[in-house]
Amino acid sequence: MTSLPTYDDVAAAAQRIQGHAHRTPVLTSRTLDEALGARVFLKCENLQRMGAFKFRGAFNALSRFSAAQRKAGVVAFSSGNHAQAIALAARLLEIPATIVMPHDAPAAKVAATKGYGGQVVVYDRYTEDREQIGRDLAERHGLTLIPPYDHADVLAGQGTAAKELLEETGPLDALFVPLGGGGLLSGTALSTRALSPECALYGVEPEAGNDGQQSLRAGRIVHIDTPKTIADGAQTQHLGGITFPIIQRDVTDILTASDAELVDAMGFLATRMKLVVEPTGCLGLAAARQKGEELRGRRVGIILSGGNVDMQRFCSLLGA
């Protein structure tokens, strides 16, 4: 097996994306601090370009393409945020992009992907294998496949969000990170162990799709059926061959949050902080609120991973 990415790869990614990705704000809430009895720092990747942290990894990966790869084009598969990220990064770097998306992906994410210039190929997430579709397209047309999480350049780019957070806040006692396939969590792990080595690091999955939690307990990658959850960005079936070893080595634990808890977190962020955060992006906050007393007196970081949600869906979930 090739060696795993390191923090040096994250630092190199930070240089590549500088001037292209936003350095997103770190916000605080006195109400949240009082509720948890902690000092809480929210890294707002919902305010990143294309609305999610995924732009970091996409731009880092595509910026490393050779001239031949750039001319041939890129293919990716995604439920939405990686799709938009690849499409936008490809447009900025003048690379043709083909994106494999589920037929039930949020309409706003599909529209944005097409708007950035991506050619969308639709599939059924419950009956078809998106990874195989992506591989077939790559082979047939000579494209370079960039998966949403299990790729060294992708996860190194994702790790720049935590790098920025920790550079701004200094060492933290706990950090909560949404978990799908593990790109954000594994990249965050590299930054956390380098910049705040004593920090407890938690990945957070939807309750209905806890394959990462099962994998960490079993010591091997556990595969599950596509989970049914409002956290569409975390409807993954398994962790990656690169992301899992990093998570296994560096992550304290993997927690879960119910759909109801995600809705509560969305409502808090919308009403008290005026932030639009998609359900997947609320996983970390939901888990931190569960912890309650355990966080009292601590310095806590939470990554809000994205804000790409249809407004009609957002209002419906919040009962507006």
Side-chain angles (χ1 to χ4, degrees):
M1 179 179 174
T2 56
S3 59
L4 295 172
T6 69
Y7 177 67
D8 287 343
D9 296 302
V10 178
Q15 291 295 318
R16 290 187 199 101
I17 70 174
Q18 188 173 7
H20 300 283
H22 296 324
R23 188 178 181 96
T24 52
V26 177
L27 300 183
T28 59
S29 162
R30 186 173 65 180
T31 301
L32 185 58
D33 285 355
E34 290 175 351
L36 296 181
R39 182 65 169 150
V40 184
F41 303 93
L42 302 169
K43 179 63 169 170
C44 296
E45 286 296 290
N46 57 306
L47 301 178
Q48 184 54 261
R49 290 188 77 164
M50 49 68 49
F53 74 96
K54 292 279 191 179
F55 180 74
R56 297 172 180 272
F59 192 90
N60 185 50
L62 268 59
S63 69
R64 304 197 71 194
F65 273 22
S66 67
Q69 287 176 305
R70 290 187 182 214
K71 183 177 180 181
V74 62
V75 61
F77 48 81
S78 166
S79 63
N81 283 338
H82 181 62
Q84 293 172 80
I86 290 289
L88 176 56
R91 188 181 76 177
L92 294 173
L93 294 166
E94 299 183 342
I95 300 171
T98 300
I99 314 295
V100 180
M101 300 186 74
H103 70 86
D104 59 348
K109 294 183 178 182
V110 175
T113 301
K114 291 180 178 178
Y116 292 136
Q119 179 183 343
V120 174
V121 175
V122 178
Y123 79 103
D124 187 326
R125 75 164 91 219
Y126 298 105
T127 62
E128 295 182 280
D129 183 348
R130 66 179 189 171
E131 297 180 24
Q132 187 59 53
I133 295 171
R135 287 192 293 267
D136 289 345
L137 286 168
E139 185 175 346
R140 191 178 315 137
H141 302 291
L143 310 177
T144 299
L145 176 63
I146 298 295
Y149 55 86
D150 203 31
H151 189 285
D153 292 333
V154 169
L155 73 87
Q158 318 305 28
T160 61
K163 178 179 184 291
E164 292 175 6
L165 171 65
L166 291 164
E167 286 172 346
E168 186 164 337
T169 64
L172 296 172
D173 297 307
L175 178 55
F176 294 83
V177 183
L179 171 59
L184 179 60
L185 181 58
S186 57
T188 296
L190 298 178
S191 293
T192 303
R193 293 299 161 238
L195 302 177
S196 185
E198 301 305 312
C199 177
L201 178 59
Y202 299 100
V204 189
E205 298 178 297
E207 196 175 72
N210 71 331
D211 60 289
Q213 187 182 65
Q214 291 183 53
S215 298
L216 197 63
R217 305 284 190 271
R220 58 177 175 80
I221 297 175
V222 172
H223 292 244
I224 64 171
D225 293 333
T226 300
K228 294 187 177 181
T229 169
I230 62 171
D232 64 278
Q235 284 183 297
T236 47
Q237 296 175 298
H238 59 87
L239 298 176
I242 301 173
T243 62
F244 177 62
I246 298 172
I247 291 169
Q248 190 177 34
R249 181 189 68 197
D250 292 338
V251 171
T252 306
D253 199 5
I254 295 177
L255 312 173
T256 65
S258 68
D259 281 1
E261 289 170 325
L262 295 181
V263 171
D264 285 345
M266 288 172 64
F268 173 85
L269 291 167
T271 57
R272 302 310 294 261
M273 299 189 70
K274 316 310 173 195
L275 292 173
V276 174
V277 183
E278 63 188 283
T280 307
C282 294
L283 283 163
L285 176 58
R289 294 171 94 193
Q290 288 174 16
K291 284 282 185 182
E293 284 295 320
E294 292 182 45
L295 300 178
R296 189 160 295 278
R298 303 288 187 173
R299 288 167 49 80
V300 178
I302 296 171
I303 296 182
L304 303 177
S305 58
N308 292 321
V309 56
D310 291 319
M311 279 297 101
Q312 185 175 357
R313 172 72 164 155
F314 184 79
C315 293
S316 173
L317 287 170
L318 297 183

